[in-house]
Amino acid sequence: MLGRLSFRLILLLLVAAAILLSAEALSLLTDWLWFGEVGYREVFVRILTAKAMLALLLGSVFFGAVYGNLYLASRSPATDVLIELEDHLGLPSRFIVEPYIRRFLLPGVLILSVFAGLQATQRWDTFLRFRYQTTFGISDPLFGKDVGFYVFTLPFLNTLYGWAMVVLGVTALLTLFTYFLFRGIQLTSRGPRVSPWARGHLLLLGAALLTVKAAGFQLDLYDLLVSPRGVVFGASYTDIHAVRPALQLLIVLSLVCAALCVVHLYRPGFRWLAMGLIALVAAAVVGEGIYPALLQRLRVIPNEIAVETPYITHNIRFTRLAYGLDKIREVEFPADENLGWEDLQRNRLTIDNIRLWDHRPLLATYGQLQEIRTYYKFVDVDNDRYVMDGRYQQTMLSPRELSYEHLPNRNWINEHFAFTHGYGIVMGPVSRISREGLPEFTIQDIPPVSTGPLKVTRPEIYYGELSNDYVFVKTTAKEVDYPAGEDNVYSTYAGTGGIPIGSAWRRALFAARFGTVRIVLNENLQGESRILMHRRIDERIRKIAPFLRFETDPYLVLTQDGRLVWLIDAYTVSDRFPYSEPTPRIGNYIRNAVKVTVDAYHGTVHFYVSEPGDPLIQAYGGAFPDLLKPLSAMPADLRAHLRYPTGLFTTQARMYATYHMQNPQVFYNKEDVWHIPRRAGEGREVPMEPYYTIMRLPGEPREEFILLVPFTPARRDNMSAWLAARSDPPHYGTLLVYTFPKQKLVYGPRQIEARINQDAYISQQLSLWNQQGSQVIRGSLLAIPVETSLLYVQPLYLAAERGSLPELKRVIAAYGSQIAMEETLENSLARLFGGRGRGVAVAGLRPPAPGAAGTAAADRAPGLPAGLRELTARAAEQFARAQEMLRQGNWAGYGEQMRGLEQTLKSLREQAAR
């Protein structure tokens, strides 16, 4: 029975290993072909080699430790038969067990070693970082080691330590069990009996375990620099004065206990060893738990600022270094309120590029106007800038991708042969609207129609954000290029992407990979056919460089020759930077070290190093020398569209809100903490998102593409500062924080929102629109610095409750204590600053009106007395509002405005009669 059970167990293990290895071999072979297609087979080989080295090395260690010890245990001298009969466990006799152990020991341990080796391959990234490590040039304040030791070496040593403990632990347990089977250890009526052979063997294993544990305590000392125990992240007063001495004591006690294990090889009993182990456990409980807690409560908390000041200083310094906050330059921003119409004209490019279209309303509008077919979808809207007719212009661009979920007839042929790609883009300026309140297009329709200098010459999108697993191209099947009326236009892929799949063995290979025999049986495949796989760009770049973190929002660029190329920001991160405050899902160190491009048609991928001074990317450059290229190698038309990534900027802004305070006392008291303002969104308040804009920074000669976010003081709503990241060369990556005078009140976004809500006219209009089967969508409130002043702009959209075609109906502008709402941004600014909106002269700032008709009427009669001019303007305003109400079908509002107009005309007649 025992033999059959052992045989079945070994057989099951062999079958499992065979299945696992065959699946792994299939994946490796197809990946080999795919990496050859994208031109990064060297990366595949390097990663595979690193995994093989770890599997071979650590798997061999596991095999040697387990097999060697079990072999010794199974060869232990036999015990007296009479003593064996006293065993109380009821185990089968040694003479029954021994033949099976000797038969299955080698294959059983070999199979376990294979699984153990495969498990070890998961740490290949840690191994390569260790192998190709560089220095940071920064030493930690506790041990004086370079930061590279904690980022590169310590994680690898922790991996080896954890592996050694697992191997020794498994070996000890299996060895102990073997001694029970072979009667080296017996439980008799006279108590436990341990043979000298078993005793010596287990004592040596114990000595090895304790020695490795001592090394673990030494590693724990270094881990104190990423301790979360204190008032800030990193080694605190308690860590230094309680935990550190305790760990040093534990190292000594562990080595003493290991020595006692050796001593007891020659000395009977276990008394000294037992006393040593009790002391070790007691020291661990007291030194790592009780004593630090008492010291924290009795010494640190009553004197926290005094004792923690040096460690707060370390935390501030290293956090600023880890997140690049030390490079942010602080500039004073006076927030003057002397902005005039002439200043706006000098900053015409800034005003013309204020974003009036929010991503969500615009995405819905694009979907209604430009999806053309149900299976085309706009996934996202990308914000970028282009030079059009000599003018620097901010644009919104969205690719028209193929959504396989929305195909009218989803079958295998349609999904993998007929519908293979999306088609074209939609592009338009961020601030221009049609008469109907809809976005203007510079590129639209299928095939793409352009009204400007930018042309799309290669509109097909084979690689995007919505692509399926795989498609076949260059087949005999008709490949839909784009719809044309009731018919379709067909094409054949002419790109360089894809793996040749014309041979029978490759068809069989990919049929096994994707689990369908249809690939073998399909008759549309021919000698030159190719399979395009890993077509989702996020999956594609992660497959090539799994050691990088990638921005979640790639953006599409239209090149000068009309191609579509994806740009993705990539980061190097670590969670081992000493004393640096961690961020969830990132760690406590980040650099935007790489820019990635993916051709939407050919699928070619390139990795460009944007921060060559980063030690992490230097290590990866050593590991993969053919993967990374210098940024200067990127084509100039793509370099012109590099932008500071929002993911990194958001992380830096959140950290800088606290870590702009560099005085430990001020930092501890949280005297000057900033927050990113919050806004209402989807039923809850959310932080404002950073936004791109084209503007001229104070003191700079020209406008540039800027990413910015405002700050407010904690628990207050006024503005305290705004952070800007520059994206244009030669200042790309420069961070500036503009701080407002502390003695001056500058309205923050929430205060402006409150003033908008309290405005009687605006509130009335919003209420009327919301009551007529329509929904008012309030766009993002943007703070736009102009000269040394701050201008707020918020678009308003109107959408039917049962429809999804938002129209831009009004633009609110606020400056200082003044607010205006008009049909266009130009008119709102004219109301505020007394300029001209849409060619109409405007005088006066309030009250707001839906148009400029009132002020225009007053200006056309300059000879009238002031009273008559005022009444004339009021009459014209009321008439314009009445017409607006009539156009909307708001009969109650129309009647109210007409009654007001009647009263104004009476007053005008009486005034004229005098």
Side-chain angles (χ1 to χ4, degrees):
M1 174 66 80
L2 182 61
R4 275 179 286 181
L5 287 175
S6 300
F7 177 75
R8 289 174 181 175
L9 179 61
I10 294 296
L11 184 61
L12 285 174
L13 288 174
L14 286 172
V15 171
I19 293 174
L20 181 64
L21 291 176
S22 61
E24 188 69 20
L26 180 65
S27 177
L28 287 176
L29 186 53
T30 52
D31 284 347
W32 168 269
L33 295 173
W34 183 80
F35 273 91
E37 175 221 334
V38 295
Y40 292 111
R41 190 165 285 166
E42 177 263 349
V43 175
F44 176 77
V45 172
R46 285 294 182 102
I47 294 177
L48 187 62
T49 302
K51 289 181 176 181
M53 290 176 62
L54 286 175
L56 184 62
L57 176 62
L58 299 184
S60 298
V61 170
F62 184 93
F63 176 81
V66 175
Y67 180 77
N69 283 277
L70 294 185
Y71 181 84
L72 289 175
S74 65
R75 292 300 189 273
S76 61
T79 57
D80 193 296
V81 175
L82 295 177
I83 297 177
E84 183 176 339
L85 294 175
E86 295 184 28
D87 183 55
H88 292 173
L89 294 178
L91 296 172
S93 170
R94 168 176 179 155
F95 299 104
I96 298 175
V97 172
E98 187 170 5
Y100 295 107
I101 293 293
R102 293 185 177 180
R103 182 186 306 173
F104 296 114
L105 178 61
L106 179 60
V109 174
L110 189 60
I111 292 174
L112 289 178
S113 300
V114 170
F115 283 106
L118 291 177
Q119 185 69 22
T121 61
Q122 297 178 5
R123 307 299 296 179
W124 64 268
D125 187 14
T126 303
F127 170 69
L128 286 180
R129 286 193 186 194
F130 169 74
R131 170 68 178 80
Y132 296 97
Q133 65 179 285
T134 58
T135 61
F136 279 73
I138 307 167
S139 298
D140 80 90
L142 186 57
F143 300 105
K145 291 184 174 293
D146 187 85
V147 169
F149 170 80
Y150 301 94
V151 174
F152 299 117
T153 304
L154 188 56
F156 184 67
L157 294 179
N158 279 326
T159 297
L160 294 182
Y161 163 71
W163 184 260
M165 289 298 293
V166 168
V167 171
L168 288 173
V170 170
T171 300
L173 289 175
L174 292 177
T175 302
L176 186 65
F177 179 68
T178 303
Y179 275 120
F180 272 106
L181 289 178
F182 281 80
R183 301 307 190 273
I185 301 175
Q186 291 179 274
L187 299 180
T188 68
S189 57
R190 291 173 289 180
R193 180 189 177 280
V194 183
S195 70
W197 182 280
R199 171 192 169 89
H201 190 179
L202 292 174
L203 281 171
L204 288 175
L205 279 176
L209 268 169
L210 288 165
T211 302
V212 172
K213 187 60 183 174
F217 287 132
Q218 179 63 47
L219 297 178
D220 290 341
L221 276 174
Y222 297 127
D223 283 332
L224 289 178
L225 277 87
V226 288
S227 167
R229 185 190 304 269
V231 66
V232 292
F233 196 78
S236 63
Y237 181 91
T238 300
D239 291 319
I240 300 301
H241 295 86
V243 180
R244 183 183 182 185
L247 289 172
Q248 291 170 337
L249 176 61
L250 290 171
I251 293 171
V252 174
L253 289 176
S254 297
L255 294 175
V256 168
C257 289
L260 289 174
C261 287
V262 178
V263 169
H264 278 289
L265 290 174
Y266 309 99
R267 184 180 179 87
F270 299 98
R271 182 180 177 183
W272 289 3
L273 177 59
M275 292 174 61
L277 291 175
I278 291 172
L280 178 63
V281 173
V285 173
V286 175
E288 292 190 290
I290 298 175
Y291 178 55
L294 289 175
L295 184 66
Q296 183 75 18
R297 180 183 294 270
L298 301 178
R299 168 69 176 140
V300 176
I301 293 179
N303 310 280
E304 196 165 49
I305 183 58
V307 300
E308 295 283 18
T309 292
Y311 313 109
I312 294 174
T313 303
H314 298 329
N315 174 263
I316 293 173
R317 176 182 172 232
F318 280 87
T319 299
R320 289 172 62 87
L321 287 170
Y323 289 93
L325 308 183
D326 59 313
K327 299 177 182 178
I328 297 178
R329 183 163 61 91
E330 189 171 317
V331 181
E332 290 186 1
F333 190 81
D336 298 326
E337 294 189 9
N338 54 5
L339 194 66
W341 185 257
E342 295 77 12
D343 299 310
L344 297 183
Q345 298 309 308
R346 284 197 302 270
N347 292 271
R348 190 74 254 171
L349 195 60
T350 298
I351 302 302
D352 289 344
N353 283 283
I354 294 177
R355 176 168 60 85
L356 299 181
W357 281 103
D358 272 14
H359 292 75
R360 292 176 185 173
L362 184 61
L363 196 62
T365 302
Y366 278 176
Q368 289 291 319
L369 299 178
Q370 284 291 310
E371 281 182 355
I372 312 297
R373 290 287 191 271
T374 58
Y375 47 81
Y376 287 129
K377 294 296 174 187
F378 294 104
V379 181
D380 192 17
V381 180
D382 299 320
N383 202 317
D384 204 351
R385 72 282 196 198
Y386 291 83
V387 177
M388 299 185 185
D389 298 324
R391 285 182 60 83
Y392 203 39
Q393 186 167 305
Q394 189 177 358
T395 61
M396 307 292 274
L397 182 152
S398 187
R400 187 184 291 105
E401 296 204 50
L402 180 64
S403 173
Y404 289 89
E405 295 180 1
H406 297 87
L407 285 176
N409 182 17
R410 293 193 65 183
N411 57 56
W412 192 76
I413 293 295
N414 278 346
E415 291 189 17
H416 300 288
F417 284 86
F419 294 90
T420 57
H421 58 273
Y423 199 89
I425 61 172
V426 171
M427 178 189 286
V430 296
S431 59
R432 288 164 56 185
I433 59 173
S434 67
R435 284 186 168 274
E436 296 79 19
L438 299 174
E440 287 192 2
F441 299 106
T442 53
I443 299 177
Q444 62 180 326
D445 296 339
I446 298 179
V449 176
S450 176
T451 58
L454 301 178
K455 309 293 181 183
V456 182
T457 59
R458 181 57 76 181
E460 300 91 343
I461 302 175
Y462 282 85
Y463 300 87
E465 296 182 84
L466 284 185
S467 304
N468 63 353
D469 292 339
Y470 63 95
V471 295
F472 298 99
V473 295
K474 297 185 178 181
T475 67
T476 59
K478 287 186 175 182
E479 184 182 338
V480 176
D481 196 23
Y482 60 88
E486 297 183 358
D487 299 321
N488 292 320
V489 175
Y490 299 96
S491 67
T492 299
Y493 180 68
T496 59
I499 305 170
I501 197 175
S503 62
W505 78 270
R506 288 200 175 187
R507 293 192 197 182
L509 178 66
F510 285 99
R513 166 69 183 265
F514 293 109
T516 174
V517 73
R518 295 173 180 175
I519 297 178
V520 176
L521 301 178
N522 188 272
E523 297 180 354
N524 292 313
L525 296 175
Q526 54 186 355
E528 60 181 12
S529 297
R530 292 173 171 263
I531 181 172
L532 310 184
M533 52 189 287
H534 300 305
R535 299 196 302 134
R536 289 185 56 143
I537 54 176
D538 57 342
E539 174 192 353
R540 191 173 186 84
I541 57 181
R542 283 186 176 89
K543 185 75 175 176
I544 298 172
F547 45 84
L548 297 175
R549 297 280 186 89
F550 295 95
E551 183 80 2
T552 57
D553 183 24
Y555 59 102
L556 196 65
V557 172
L558 176 61
T559 64
Q560 290 181 353
D561 58 355
R563 295 180 300 112
L564 301 178
V565 178
W566 294 96
L567 269 172
I568 310 100
D569 289 281
Y571 307 108
T572 52
V573 298
S574 174
D575 59 357
R576 308 297 300 177
F577 202 91
Y579 274 109
S580 175
E581 191 73 23
T583 298
R585 297 184 298 276
I586 292 177
N588 62 359
Y589 173 88
I590 184 171
R591 289 291 185 271
N592 177 213
V594 178
K595 304 287 187 179
V596 188
T597 65
V598 181
D599 191 290
Y601 185 72
H602 299 285
T604 51
V605 184
H606 297 287
F607 295 80
Y608 301 95
V609 177
S610 55
E611 194 156 344
D614 172 38
L616 280 171
I617 205 62
Q618 290 174 2
Y620 288 128
F624 308 104
D626 296 333
L627 172 66
L628 304 172
K629 303 175 183 178
L631 191 61
S632 58
M634 179 184 286
D637 57 346
L638 290 179
R639 280 204 312 275
H641 292 276
L642 295 179
R643 64 186 196 186
Y644 201 87
T646 56
L648 174 62
F649 185 75
T650 301
T651 300
Q652 290 176 314
R654 289 173 179 169
M655 298 304 296
Y656 194 76
T658 300
Y659 284 89
H660 70 278
M661 299 179 290
Q662 299 186 57
N663 183 295
Q665 179 83 34
V666 175
F667 184 93
Y668 175 81
N669 293 325
K670 301 291 187 284
E671 297 178 21
D672 192 25
V673 175
W674 297 342
H675 285 168
I676 296 176
R678 303 182 71 84
R679 64 175 183 84
E682 298 183 354
R684 60 188 180 91
E685 286 196 340
V686 296
M688 284 185 64
E689 298 175 352
Y691 49 93
Y692 293 99
T693 188
I694 290 179
M695 59 168 288
R696 183 165 55 87
L697 292 171
E700 295 296 328
R702 62 181 181 86
E703 286 81 3
E704 54 189 296
F705 197 56
I706 299 292
L707 178 63
L708 64 86
V709 69
F711 289 116
T712 61
R715 296 181 296 277
R716 293 172 59 192
D717 294 331
N718 59 288
M719 285 272 277
S720 56
W722 55 280
L723 180 66
R726 307 172 77 171
S727 294
D728 290 348
H731 304 293
Y732 175 86
T734 301
L735 295 175
L736 301 167
V737 61
Y738 291 86
T739 57
F740 297 102
K742 294 185 182 297
Q743 70 276 9
K744 186 174 184 178
L745 173 64
V746 180
Y747 287 128
R750 291 187 68 171
Q751 292 172 321
I752 295 296
E753 289 269 14
R755 292 182 59 82
I756 291 173
N757 293 334
Q758 293 166 6
D759 186 279
Y761 173 70
I762 296 176
S763 177
Q764 178 188 28
Q765 292 300 304
L766 297 182
S767 299
L768 288 172
W769 285 331
N770 278 321
Q771 292 173 3
Q772 299 172 10
S774 300
Q775 176 188 8
V776 176
I777 303 173
R778 299 179 69 161
S780 298
L781 180 64
L782 305 181
I784 307 296
V786 180
E787 298 286 344
T788 57
S789 302
L790 202 61
L791 177 70
Y792 283 97
V793 174
Q794 182 179 46
L796 297 180
Y797 313 95
L798 194 63
E801 289 183 353
R802 297 185 180 181
S804 56
L805 184 62
E807 299 176 3
L808 180 62
K809 285 302 180 185
R810 294 290 185 271
V811 180
I812 299 174
Y815 175 69
S817 59
Q818 305 173 74
I819 299 174
M821 182 178 75
E822 298 291 345
E823 291 186 357
T824 66
L825 173 62
E826 188 80 9
N827 287 348
S828 292
L829 295 177
R831 294 282 299 179
L832 289 178
F833 297 101
R836 292 180 172 270
R838 289 187 179 176
V840 180
V842 179
L845 301 179
R846 301 295 286 165
T855 49
D859 285 350
R860 282 194 296 268
L864 292 176
L868 288 177
R869 285 205 307 270
E870 182 180 348
L871 288 172
T872 302
R874 187 190 307 170
E877 289 172 3
Q878 290 169 332
F879 179 76
R881 290 178 182 173
Q883 294 301 310
E884 175 68 15
M885 298 297 179
L886 182 63
R887 187 180 69 81
Q888 297 172 5
N890 182 3
W891 297 105
Y894 174 74
E896 181 181 352
Q897 294 297 329
M898 291 303 293
R899 286 191 294 272
L901 176 60
E902 183 180 0
Q903 293 297 324
T904 302
L905 291 175
K906 288 181 180 179
S907 299
L908 183 63
R909 186 169 55 250
E910 294 173 357
Q911 185 80 10
R914 297 196 188 115

